[in-house]
């Protein structure tokens, strides 16, 4: 049984703007598990400034090397999977856990790049997704929206909170004037850009444009403020960054029962790997 990892620095074709700054590249590590001529691949995917376990590349690489060494020393088995003790130790390293989980699933399914045997992986059923519009100049954002609409998307998700709010609202208004909420679903993602006071105003303005939902209107960590927003909001609120770093089951239960959000947004490489996201789903 052999395991190894390869580092890849993915370059954005166009810098990606968020309320936390502009992304130019994204580091990833490809994990491979191999035995008996079968090799499974998984990705350790990091977003600098957001992934809780990543402070710098050197120390993160050291942690990955430790995990690979443990795997090569017998911490996983081709029939049983990854040792439960190692899995538990990685609950605070969701991106590494996700990389190992996906590599294991690929291996288990014959190393064919199939992670789940279902109607989607067999090409029998599609998964509806939203067309994501990155922050930038109003012209750039409008250009992206036109591209998504021309490509046939029926849901657009626009990141807000980096440029002037009035410009962002004007863009959303121009779309809504062309398409009703029955024709096109509009979602927004604030990435925690607003104060609670400002968020209350923004929520009312978004409701006038029949916005489906907003992700993370205020910064993560203010559970009481987020709870009050969720109680009174005119449009549904989805938690995203709020879930990062919440790993023990009791903490997940406390967060959900305290805030009682309308939606939660789950990303395995941020929210506890596949194991952690399944737990979030069951609790929600």
């Amino acid at each position: 049984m052999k395991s190894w990892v390869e580092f890849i620095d993915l370059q954005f074709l166009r810098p990606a703007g968020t309320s936390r700054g502009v992304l130019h590249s994204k580091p990833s590590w490809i994990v491979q598990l191999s035995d008996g001529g079968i090799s499974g691949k998984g990705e350790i995917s990091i977003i600098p400034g957001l992934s809780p376990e990543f402070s710098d590349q050197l120390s993160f690489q050291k942690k990955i090397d430790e995990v690979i060494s443990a795997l090569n020393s017998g911490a996983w088995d081709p029939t049983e999977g990854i040792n439960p003790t190692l899995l538990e130790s990685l609950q605070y390293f969701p991106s590494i856990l996700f990389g190992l989980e996906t590599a294991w699933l690929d291996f288990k399914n014959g190393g064919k790049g199939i992670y789940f045997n279902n109607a989607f992986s067999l090409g029998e059923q599609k998964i509806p997704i939203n067309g994501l519009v990155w922050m930038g100049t109003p012209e750039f954002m409008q250009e992206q929206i036109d591209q998504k609409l021309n490509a046939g998307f029926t849901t657009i998700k626009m990141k807000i909170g980096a440029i002037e709010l009035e410009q962002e609202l004007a863009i959303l208004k121009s779309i809504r004037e062309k398409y009703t909420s029955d024709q096109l679903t509009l979602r927004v993602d604030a990435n925690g850009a607003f104060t609670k006071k400002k968020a209350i105003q923004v929520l009312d303005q978004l409701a006038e444009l029949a916005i489906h939902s907003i992700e993370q209107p205020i910064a993560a960590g203010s559970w009481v403020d987020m709870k009050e927003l969720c109680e009174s909001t005119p449009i549904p609120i989805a938690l995203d960054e709020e879930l990062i770093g919440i790993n023990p089951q009791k903490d997940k239960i406390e967060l959900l029962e305290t805030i009682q959000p309308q939606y939660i947004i789950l990303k395995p490489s941020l929210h506890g790997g596949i194991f952690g996201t399944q737990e979030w789903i069951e609790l929600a």
Side-chain angles (χ1 to χ4, degrees), residues 198-245:
K198 184 66 175 178
I200 293 172
Q201 301 171 11
V202 172
L203 290 169
D204 288 334
Q205 291 170 303
L206 293 174
E208 294 175 3
L209 299 172
I211 301 301
H212 172 274
S213 57
I214 180 173
E215 288 182 38
Q216 206 68 43
I218 64 173
S222 301
W223 288 14
V224 174
D225 288 344
M226 188 68 86
K227 170 185 172 65
E228 292 174 357
L229 286 175
C230 288
E231 285 177 338
S232 60
T233 182
I235 65 170
I237 289 174
L239 303 187
D240 181 357
E241 288 90 343
E242 199 75 65
L243 310 180
I244 296 174

Side-chain angles (χ1 to χ4, degrees), residues 143-213:
E143 176 188 332
Q144 294 178 82
I145 290 167
D146 293 340
Q147 291 173 349
K148 301 299 182 187
L149 294 175
N150 290 335
F153 282 93
T154 57
T155 299
I156 299 291
K157 187 174 89 168
M158 192 171 99
K159 287 186 175 289
I160 62 173
I163 64 175
E164 288 293 327
L165 178 64
E166 292 308 315
Q167 292 180 324
E168 294 168 336
L169 290 172
I171 293 172
L172 290 167
K173 184 177 180 181
S174 69
I175 301 171
R176 188 51 81 218
E177 287 173 347
K178 298 175 187 175
Y179 303 93
T180 67
S181 57
D182 291 331
Q183 296 171 314
L184 182 68
T185 299
L186 288 176
R187 298 172 180 158
V188 296
D189 183 1
N191 289 128
F194 306 116
T195 63
K196 180 188 175 184
K197 183 178 179 181
K198 184 66 175 178
I200 293 172
Q201 301 171 11
V202 172
L203 290 169
D204 288 334
Q205 291 170 303
L206 293 174
E208 294 175 3
L209 299 172
I211 301 301
H212 172 274
S213 57

Side-chain angles (χ1 to χ4, degrees), residues 11-184:
Q11 302 295 315
F12 279 84
L13 295 176
R14 199 164 184 172
T18 77
S19 59
R20 291 183 299 272
V22 179
L23 299 175
H24 297 275
S25 64
K26 196 187 80 62
S28 288
W29 287 259
I30 305 302
V31 181
Q32 294 198 53
L33 308 176
S34 182
D35 184 65
I38 298 175
S39 180
K41 290 184 180 181
E43 180 185 5
I44 298 173
S45 177
I46 283 293
I47 302 177
L50 186 61
S51 298
E53 69 269 47
F54 184 85
S55 56
D56 63 85
Q57 189 168 321
L58 190 61
S59 57
F60 191 69
Q61 180 71 59
K62 183 179 179 181
K63 178 63 181 180
I64 292 175
D65 291 341
E66 290 174 0
V67 172
I68 295 298
S69 177
L71 292 175
N72 286 326
S73 297
W76 83 291
D77 180 274
T79 56
E80 299 296 328
I82 300 162
N83 184 294
T85 302
L86 178 60
L87 282 178
E88 185 177 352
S89 73
L90 291 174
Q91 66 173 319
Y92 292 98
F93 295 86
S95 61
I96 298 178
L97 178 57
F98 181 59
L100 297 185
E101 288 174 315
T102 47
W104 164 245
L105 287 171
D106 185 19
F107 176 85
K108 192 169 67 170
N109 286 307
K112 301 173 183 177
I114 297 175
Y115 298 89
F116 294 98
N117 254 319
N118 54 31
F120 174 73
S121 66
L122 295 173
E124 299 171 352
Q125 182 177 322
K126 297 178 180 180
I127 296 178
I129 63 173
N130 49 233
L132 178 60
V133 174
W134 291 92
M135 292 173 176
T137 64
E139 294 76 19
F140 173 52
M141 296 175 78
Q142 187 63 59
E143 176 188 332
Q144 294 178 82
I145 290 167
D146 293 340
Q147 291 173 349
K148 301 299 182 187
L149 294 175
N150 290 335
F153 282 93
T154 57
T155 299
I156 299 291
K157 187 174 89 168
M158 192 171 99
K159 287 186 175 289
I160 62 173
I163 64 175
E164 288 293 327
L165 178 64
E166 292 308 315
Q167 292 180 324
E168 294 168 336
L169 290 172
I171 293 172
L172 290 167
K173 184 177 180 181
S174 69
I175 301 171
R176 188 51 81 218
E177 287 173 347
K178 298 175 187 175
Y179 303 93
T180 67
S181 57
D182 291 331
Q183 296 171 314
L184 182 68

